Amino acid sequence: MNSSPEDRRSVRVGLAYDERMCLHATPDGESHPENPERIRAIWRKLEAEGIPDRCILLKIKEAEDAIIASVHTRNHIKLIRNISSKEFDSRRLRIASKLNSIYFNEGSSKAAYLAAGTVIEATENVANGNLDSAIAVVRPPGHHAEANEAMGFCLFNNVAIAASYLLNERAELGIRRILIVDWDVHHGNGTQNMFYSDPRVLYFSVHRFDFGSFYPAGSDGSHCMIGEDQGVGYNINVPWEHGQCGDADYLAVWDHILIPVAEAYNPDIILISAGFDAAMGDPLGGCCVTPYGYSVMLKRLMKFSDGKIVLALEGGYNLNSLANSVFACAITLLEGSPIVGNFEGRPFESTWRVINEVRNELKTYWPVFSIDLPEEILIANVKRYPIQAGINSSSDSDVEKDLENSNAINFSSNNDVGDLILPLSKLKVDDGDFGELSPLRSQQNQPAPSEAYENPKEVTTETCNDLFHWRSSLSKVDVWYGSYGSNMWKPRFLCYIEGGKVEGMRKPCRGAMDKTPPKDISWKSVPHRLFFARSYTDTWGHGGVAFLNPQSSINDKSYMRIYRITLEQFNDLLIQENVTTEHFESPLVDSRDIEFLVKSSFMSVESIKGGWYSNILYLGEQDGIPILTMTCSVSDVEKFKSGELPVCAPPKAYENTLLKGLLEGTELSSEEAIGYLKDAAARNL
Ligand code: X5A
Ligand code: ZN
């Protein structure tokens, strides 16, 4: 891998990076996965490996409004242009809080224009032949940004802008068909929507979907979204059912969906929405693609469009995986072959199911999908092997039954239950999502569709054994979870245990890993003030949601429904209430923390400090079991008081849910219940 002048003459790989894209950062220095260190880490790695010397460094310029305007509205451009200016100092926080997963600071505008401009520059130079291919190390990312809305850490849709620019402003370059490959672990809703009826752009995305519960949640990422009008057939979604997908799963999709389609489509250029949050170790993605996997995925695309490929960074939040993956891609472009490596395991059963669903959905538009997959794949495809519930005593028998029913699973020579513990502990489980059942990978009966999966060499990857250690011990400890908001309505609370959603909710919950319903339910009143704050939530839309003032006062009284659940379930609840897909190696609240809580009455959970419900309150005990609830921090209450953070009446759907809960369990008449809520919403903090 030494750089020689010939390298530079033979392949021209563009590389773009600019420190000014680090100017976009959280306003208050709060930690955030999408932070400046991401691109710094990439650049450090590339420099350490001598990559910049082997590439052509690109000029970085800000995108022009006229170009951005081909995919974004005037209003959106105005907002992003002005959001960092002085006049917005006092409104910036509030505007961001109305958006979904967005922050702004004084550097956001500059960074957003540079990111878009950099991707345009890279794309133009590949399209016009100055470069063979290019990598744009940019942030903020782009693929969630809609025509009129910033979301999901994305301000401008960098890739969509560049694609639209080639098609609409640079027709003379002869780019008539653009393939966008979006391998970020999230669905690129923005890009999909921008080209949904445009056959000149084939948008392909493979992403975690988890039946609609994975970010950006909803149905946009479904395989049924195939485009419309002129563009029907030119939108392809491959939605994973769960986390833990890795090289074998991605390459099966390449083999059986992407590559055949790319052959038929014959793109003039390929733009990769190159997020690396499906990489092994990523805290948000919960998947396990290796640098080798990315390298092979990229290499397989290099045979199209004369190798004209642009990689534009999207997500990727584990700095090491991120830097190593980008490095692997750079090497692949420079050397024209994948890095050295090999595969572990075979695709999940669910992967074959998904591949078949996608092919079936699109076969009228892509005749190559009418050719049946090898029969062995279809046979394997009809079985699924979920682990039912957690590994605790009450569910061992279920696990056993499931395993017996599935003749395909045969871990070892003997079938008795004692043997189960060992193989289960060796299994990889879904670590990005505590809610979904974890499918087993059946090694024995999984046919290999091509020799690509045949490599027998074992690579050790992280397993998630630790997950089970704390889970099994905390599943033996009971707590009362005290609810004072929408969870007072039992069906709504059960969403956090069983998964799913009820009337009024916009978004389903993941549920707890242990789906056992509460062992007991009761009501209580507590000397804490109920109030409503925040301006938007993904679940309820615009309006405030309930909080309890962590500080008690004899003058305050709030109603509370308490549910007896396990401490393990309480942890899963806490994670969902704080809207994080992060995977924690250790529990957020364990038995030792409860001892601490009994003495100190509240405790802030450090690792979810950014969440709105990261403060655990101890409210005494019942039947010798501690009553815990979760609310905001004392400092948030101060910000709500001062107006720095919005206090806001609840939205209708949320209020109705509260009413249903109160009327189900308290003695209140419906007028009294309405009065109780109105008072909590109206009275000053
Ligand atoms: C670009 C990207 C992720 C947004 C997750 C929000 N966005 N919870 O990876
Ligand atoms: Zn992502």
Side-chain angles (χ1 to χ4, degrees):
M1 280 192 284
N2 47 9
S3 69
S4 63
E6 292 89 280
D7 284 343
R8 244 162 296 159
R9 240 175 291 126
S10 51
V11 258
R12 300 170 59 88
V13 178
L15 183 59
Y17 170 77
D18 189 317
E19 172 75 21
R20 287 175 298 164
M21 283 181 277
C22 295
L23 292 172
H24 172 61
T26 52
D28 33 25
E30 249 181 80
S31 68
H32 192 283
E34 206 294 282
N35 62 62
E37 289 311 309
R38 296 177 57 238
I39 55 174
R40 288 200 184 107
I42 294 172
W43 194 247
R44 262 199 309 276
K45 171 73 179 172
L46 297 181
E47 279 196 316
E49 300 285 352
I51 297 294
D53 294 340
R54 301 169 63 181
C55 294
I56 293 153
L57 300 185
L58 299 185
K59 223 175 37 243
I60 310 293
K61 354 183 235 206
E62 293 185 30
E64 286 166 32
D65 284 350
I67 296 175
I68 301 173
S70 67
V71 300
H72 286 292
T73 62
R74 286 281 161 204
N75 269 336
H76 180 69
I77 298 171
K78 230 162 63 192
L79 176 73
I80 302 304
R81 165 164 296 276
N82 295 330
I83 195 69
S84 298
S85 66
K86 271 252 161 305
E87 299 83 85
F88 274 75
D89 278 352
S90 60
R91 281 142 72 199
R92 213 172 283 135
L93 261 186
R94 195 150 21 95
I95 294 171
S97 77
K98 293 208 164 72
L99 296 164
N100 174 349
S101 308
I102 287 293
Y103 61 78
F104 294 122
N105 71 342
E106 319 73 42
S108 299
S109 302
K110 184 63 124 195
Y113 274 87
L114 286 170
T118 300
V119 178
I120 295 170
E121 183 74 8
T123 304
E124 179 170 9
N125 280 292
V126 171
N128 68 20
N130 285 343
L131 299 170
D132 294 305
S133 57
I135 302 182
V137 181
V138 297
R139 67 178 287 276
H143 72 156
H144 294 304
E146 296 278 2
N148 194 31
E149 193 172 326
M151 65 178 274
F153 317 157
C154 303
L155 304 186
F156 286 142
N157 195 321
N158 311 317
V159 166
I161 293 169
S164 174
Y165 173 67
L166 288 188
L167 293 170
N168 299 317
E169 324 267 332
R170 302 303 307 273
E172 79 278 11
L173 297 178
I175 304 291
R176 301 208 167 77
R177 286 178 305 277
I178 301 181
L179 170 60
I180 297 180
V181 174
D182 188 336
W183 73 39
D184 185 282
V185 79
H186 302 98
H187 178 241
N189 53 287
T191 316
Q192 165 169 303
N193 285 328
M194 286 163 178
F195 302 110
Y196 206 56
S197 52
D198 192 340
R200 299 173 303 169
V201 175
L202 170 52
Y203 177 70
F204 167 92
S205 175
V206 52
H207 47 268
R208 261 187 85 174
F209 187 59
D210 300 38
F211 306 99
S213 69
F214 200 75
Y215 192 87
S219 53
D220 273 13
S222 153
H223 69 284
C224 304
M225 304 298 283
I226 58 172
E228 67 188 5
D229 302 332
Q230 295 296 299
V232 68
Y234 296 91
N235 194 86
I236 303 181
N237 285 326
V238 181
W240 298 136
E241 293 180 2
H242 50 74
Q244 284 288 310
C245 293
D247 297 350
D249 303 288
Y250 279 80
L251 284 155
V253 167
W254 256 234
D255 276 348
H256 300 290
I257 298 174
L258 180 55
I259 300 301
V261 162
E263 269 158 10
Y265 187 63
N266 189 23
D268 297 315
I269 191 170
I270 299 178
L271 307 186
I272 303 184
S273 257
F276 294 93
D277 40 13
M280 186 181 298
D282 189 278
L284 269 60
C287 288
C288 44
V289 178
T290 67
Y292 177 65
Y294 285 115
S295 171
V296 176
M297 280 151 61
L298 176 56
K299 169 63 192 171
R300 298 244 178 119
L301 293 171
M302 287 167 66
K303 71 167 174 171
F304 302 102
S305 52
D306 285 334
K308 287 186 165 52
I309 295 191
V310 178
L311 281 88
L313 183 65
E314 299 280 0
Y317 307 101
N318 175 316
L319 300 188
N320 285 321
S321 342
L322 176 59
N324 292 335
S325 301
V326 174
F327 170 57
C329 289
I331 289 288
T332 309
L333 292 179
L334 282 166
E335 300 187 350
S337 50
I339 63 165
V340 178
N342 51 42
F343 290 105
E344 191 233 351
R346 302 208 172 132
F348 281 115
E349 257 102 11
S350 64
T351 294
W352 295 120
R353 175 168 49 251
V354 170
I355 287 174
N356 270 300
E357 280 165 359
V358 172
R359 289 173 58 106
N360 207 26
E361 191 73 32
L362 284 153
K363 62 172 183 259
T364 44
Y365 310 99
W366 302 99
V368 56
F369 288 165
S370 302
I371 304 164
D372 285 340
L373 293 180
E375 203 177 336
E376 319 84 86
I377 295 173
L378 299 176
I379 292 165
N381 178 42
V382 298
K383 296 215 169 89
R384 51 190 307 191
Y385 309 109
I387 299 173
Q388 300 288 355
I391 309 302
N392 55 34
S393 49
S394 63
S395 54
D396 274 356
S397 56
D398 293 344
V399 175
E400 180 192 356
K401 242 181 280 142
D402 275 354
L403 294 178
E404 277 172 4
N405 290 343
S406 62
N407 51 11
I409 292 186
N410 179 16
F411 289 114
S412 61
S413 50
N414 97 46
N415 259 349
D416 75 42
V417 195
D419 226 307
L420 264 178
I421 304 306
L422 183 67
L424 280 173
S425 69
K426 282 191 174 155
L427 285 171
K428 301 178 4 161
V429 294
D430 181 354
D431 68 351
D433 183 341
F434 296 111
E436 264 316 310
L437 301 176
S438 308
L440 305 185
R441 231 179 251 269
S442 158
Q443 300 288 350
Q444 283 84 357
N445 283 35
Q446 192 71 73
S450 79
E451 71 270 22
Y453 312 106
E454 282 292 33
N455 199 326
K457 197 151 179 227
E458 273 282 321
V459 179
T460 29
T461 56
E462 297 163 66
T463 53
C464 306
N465 298 346
D466 290 358
L467 208 63
F468 284 129
H469 289 151
W470 68 262
R471 285 186 173 273
S472 65
S473 72
L474 298 197
S475 71
K476 297 179 186 85
V477 178
D478 279 358
V479 297
W480 292 100
Y481 157 62
S483 62
Y484 52 85
S486 62
N487 286 333
M488 288 187 295
W489 190 41
K490 188 178 163 198
R492 190 276 181 267
F493 165 72
L494 287 178
C495 296
Y496 279 135
I497 300 293
E498 293 167 350
K501 60 177 192 173
V502 288
E503 193 196 334
M505 290 168 70
R506 301 180 165 196
K507 232 191 98 170
C509 297
R510 281 174 283 161
M513 192 175 269
D514 175 1
K515 297 186 163 37
T516 314
K519 294 169 186 149
D520 205 352
I521 305 182
S522 174
W523 284 83
K524 246 188 102 60
S525 62
V526 293
H528 287 264
R529 167 68 201 280
L530 173 73
F531 66 98
F532 299 100
R534 295 179 64 188
S535 48
Y536 178 89
T537 56
D538 285 349
T539 308
W540 305 100
H542 295 280
V545 287
F547 290 97
L548 272 197
N549 189 335
Q551 272 148 346
S552 67
S553 155
I554 42 163
N555 302 322
D556 289 322
K557 173 178 162 180
S558 295
Y559 295 99
M560 182 170 266
R561 187 179 215 167
I562 61 174
Y563 298 93
R564 185 168 168 172
I565 58 175
T566 70
L567 188 49
E568 182 204 358
Q569 290 174 316
F570 184 81
N571 271 277
D572 284 347
L573 183 61
L574 189 58
I575 286 165
Q576 295 175 79
E577 280 282 18
N578 285 285
V579 204
T580 172
T581 47
E582 230 162 301
H583 153 227
F584 298 99
E585 290 288 335
S586 47
L588 299 170
V589 180
D590 63 16
S591 304
R592 201 119 33 91
D593 295 323
I594 292 185
E595 285 167 34
F596 171 82
L597 271 163
V598 169
K599 284 185 222 126
S600 64
S601 89
F602 64 86
M603 173 184 109
S604 164
V605 181
E606 194 59 27
S607 49
I608 47 168
K609 227 174 73 212
W612 288 99
Y613 293 97
S614 59
N615 190 17
I616 313 300
L617 294 193
Y618 169 75
L619 298 163
E621 56 174 47
Q622 180 154 312
D623 313 326
I625 290 161
I627 305 170
L628 306 180
T629 190
M630 51 194 83
T631 186
C632 61
S633 64
V634 176
S635 67
D636 282 344
V637 174
E638 291 312 313
K639 289 180 189 159
F640 290 134
K641 276 185 187 160
S642 73
E644 185 183 338
L645 287 170
V647 172
C648 186
K652 214 60 245 126
Y654 187 77
E655 189 182 354
N656 287 339
T657 311
L658 294 169
L659 277 175
K660 280 189 271 198
L662 287 167
L663 297 177
E664 225 174 67
T666 61
E667 309 279 61
L668 299 179
S669 69
S670 107
E671 289 71 35
E672 287 166 330
I674 291 170
Y676 166 72
L677 297 177
K678 286 268 177 289
D679 177 64
R683 210 148 36 86
N684 278 341
L685 258 175

mmCIF file of all heavy atoms in Angstrom, residues 101 141 143-144 152-154 184 186 215 277 315 317, ligand 1:
data_model
loop_
_atom_site.group_PDB
_atom_site.id
_atom_site.type_symbol
_atom_site.label_atom_id
_atom_site.label_comp_id
_atom_site.label_asym_id
_atom_site.label_seq_id
_atom_site.Cartn_x
_atom_site.Cartn_y
_atom_site.Cartn_z
ATOM 1 N N SER A 101 -35.092 15.529 15.808
ATOM 2 C CA SER A 101 -33.669 15.170 15.889
ATOM 3 C C SER A 101 -32.752 16.163 15.174
ATOM 4 O O SER A 101 -31.973 15.788 14.292
ATOM 5 C CB SER A 101 -33.419 13.760 15.340
ATOM 6 O OG SER A 101 -34.262 12.816 15.939
ATOM 7 N N PRO A 141 -24.970 15.363 7.790
ATOM 8 C CA PRO A 141 -25.424 14.434 6.768
ATOM 9 C C PRO A 141 -26.683 14.953 6.075
ATOM 10 O O PRO A 141 -27.166 16.037 6.416
ATOM 11 C CB PRO A 141 -25.731 13.164 7.562
ATOM 12 C CG PRO A 141 -25.966 13.610 8.968
ATOM 13 C CD PRO A 141 -25.140 14.843 9.156
ATOM 14 N N HIS A 143 -29.415 12.640 4.070
ATOM 15 C CA HIS A 143 -30.489 11.866 3.423
ATOM 16 C C HIS A 143 -31.863 11.913 4.099
ATOM 17 O O HIS A 143 -32.856 11.558 3.486
ATOM 18 C CB HIS A 143 -30.045 10.411 3.175
ATOM 19 C CG HIS A 143 -29.933 9.565 4.400
ATOM 20 N ND1 HIS A 143 -30.041 8.188 4.341
ATOM 21 C CD2 HIS A 143 -29.722 9.889 5.699
ATOM 22 C CE1 HIS A 143 -29.909 7.705 5.571
ATOM 23 N NE2 HIS A 143 -29.698 8.703 6.396
ATOM 24 N N HIS A 144 -31.925 12.374 5.365
ATOM 25 C CA HIS A 144 -33.254 12.523 5.993
ATOM 26 C C HIS A 144 -33.894 13.870 5.657
ATOM 27 O O HIS A 144 -35.089 14.055 5.874
ATOM 28 C CB HIS A 144 -33.159 12.421 7.520
ATOM 29 C CG HIS A 144 -32.740 11.069 8.019
ATOM 30 N ND1 HIS A 144 -33.425 9.927 7.677
ATOM 31 C CD2 HIS A 144 -31.729 10.678 8.832
ATOM 32 C CE1 HIS A 144 -32.833 8.880 8.269
ATOM 33 N NE2 HIS A 144 -31.794 9.315 8.961
ATOM 34 N N GLY A 152 -33.484 14.358 11.468
ATOM 35 C CA GLY A 152 -32.551 13.231 11.581
ATOM 36 C C GLY A 152 -31.092 13.636 11.434
ATOM 37 O O GLY A 152 -30.316 12.948 10.785
ATOM 38 N N PHE A 153 -30.699 14.732 12.050
ATOM 39 C CA PHE A 153 -29.338 15.277 12.012
ATOM 40 C C PHE A 153 -29.000 15.893 10.640
ATOM 41 O O PHE A 153 -27.860 16.275 10.403
ATOM 42 C CB PHE A 153 -28.248 14.221 12.342
ATOM 43 C CG PHE A 153 -28.520 13.287 13.491
ATOM 44 C CD1 PHE A 153 -27.887 12.047 13.581
ATOM 45 C CD2 PHE A 153 -29.391 13.653 14.513
ATOM 46 C CE1 PHE A 153 -28.125 11.189 14.650
ATOM 47 C CE2 PHE A 153 -29.644 12.800 15.593
ATOM 48 C CZ PHE A 153 -29.006 11.561 15.654
ATOM 49 N N CYS A 154 -29.948 15.955 9.712
ATOM 50 C CA CYS A 154 -29.669 16.406 8.340
ATOM 51 C C CYS A 154 -30.280 17.778 8.073
ATOM 52 O O CYS A 154 -31.448 18.015 8.392
ATOM 53 C CB CYS A 154 -30.239 15.411 7.337
ATOM 54 S SG CYS A 154 -29.609 13.725 7.546
ATOM 55 N N ASP A 184 -26.591 3.733 4.406
ATOM 56 C CA ASP A 184 -26.745 4.170 5.797
ATOM 57 C C ASP A 184 -27.776 3.247 6.452
ATOM 58 O O ASP A 184 -28.694 2.770 5.794
ATOM 59 C CB ASP A 184 -27.255 5.621 5.807
ATOM 60 C CG ASP A 184 -27.337 6.222 7.206
ATOM 61 O OD1 ASP A 184 -28.310 5.907 7.931
ATOM 62 O OD2 ASP A 184 -26.445 7.004 7.564
ATOM 63 N N HIS A 186 -30.114 3.877 8.312
ATOM 64 C CA HIS A 186 -31.455 4.464 8.338
ATOM 65 C C HIS A 186 -31.985 4.660 6.926
ATOM 66 O O HIS A 186 -31.210 4.847 5.990
ATOM 67 C CB HIS A 186 -31.425 5.828 9.044
ATOM 68 C CG HIS A 186 -30.911 5.781 10.448
ATOM 69 N ND1 HIS A 186 -29.606 6.084 10.769
ATOM 70 C CD2 HIS A 186 -31.523 5.444 11.604
ATOM 71 C CE1 HIS A 186 -29.440 5.949 12.084
ATOM 72 N NE2 HIS A 186 -30.585 5.559 12.610
ATOM 73 N N TYR A 215 -35.930 4.327 13.366
ATOM 74 C CA TYR A 215 -35.873 5.685 12.829
ATOM 75 C C TYR A 215 -35.635 5.666 11.311
ATOM 76 O O TYR A 215 -34.811 4.892 10.855
ATOM 77 C CB TYR A 215 -34.748 6.486 13.506
ATOM 78 C CG TYR A 215 -34.847 7.953 13.198
ATOM 79 C CD1 TYR A 215 -35.630 8.793 13.972
ATOM 80 C CD2 TYR A 215 -34.204 8.475 12.075
ATOM 81 C CE1 TYR A 215 -35.757 10.137 13.644
ATOM 82 C CE2 TYR A 215 -34.338 9.824 11.752
ATOM 83 C CZ TYR A 215 -35.107 10.640 12.550
ATOM 84 O OH TYR A 215 -35.243 11.955 12.218
ATOM 85 N N ASP A 277 -23.292 3.722 9.760
ATOM 86 C CA ASP A 277 -23.921 3.355 11.028
ATOM 87 C C ASP A 277 -24.502 1.944 11.023
ATOM 88 O O ASP A 277 -25.083 1.508 12.009
ATOM 89 C CB ASP A 277 -24.970 4.392 11.464
ATOM 90 C CG ASP A 277 -25.803 4.920 10.326
ATOM 91 O OD1 ASP A 277 -25.758 4.316 9.234
ATOM 92 O OD2 ASP A 277 -26.518 5.925 10.521
ATOM 93 N N GLY A 315 -24.482 8.923 7.965
ATOM 94 C CA GLY A 315 -24.296 8.654 9.389
ATOM 95 C C GLY A 315 -23.044 7.842 9.676
ATOM 96 O O GLY A 315 -22.169 7.667 8.816
ATOM 97 N N TYR A 317 -21.491 6.469 13.743
ATOM 98 C CA TYR A 317 -21.325 7.115 15.042
ATOM 99 C C TYR A 317 -20.339 6.440 15.978
ATOM 100 O O TYR A 317 -20.137 6.896 17.090
ATOM 101 C CB TYR A 317 -22.714 7.276 15.689
ATOM 102 C CG TYR A 317 -23.656 7.974 14.735
ATOM 103 C CD1 TYR A 317 -24.601 7.270 13.988
ATOM 104 C CD2 TYR A 317 -23.519 9.338 14.499
ATOM 105 C CE1 TYR A 317 -25.417 7.912 13.064
ATOM 106 C CE2 TYR A 317 -24.325 9.994 13.576
ATOM 107 C CZ TYR A 317 -25.273 9.271 12.862
ATOM 108 O OH TYR A 317 -26.053 9.907 11.948
HETATM 109 C C1 X5A B 1 -27.951 10.509 9.215
HETATM 110 C C2 X5A B 1 -28.374 9.634 10.344
HETATM 111 C C3 X5A B 1 -29.870 9.309 12.181
HETATM 112 C C4 X5A B 1 -30.940 10.018 12.923
HETATM 113 C C5 X5A B 1 -31.344 9.255 14.152
HETATM 114 C C6 X5A B 1 -32.282 10.059 14.998
HETATM 115 N N1 X5A B 1 -29.396 10.068 11.068
HETATM 116 N N2 X5A B 1 -32.665 9.360 16.188
HETATM 117 O O1 X5A B 1 -27.786 8.600 10.582
#
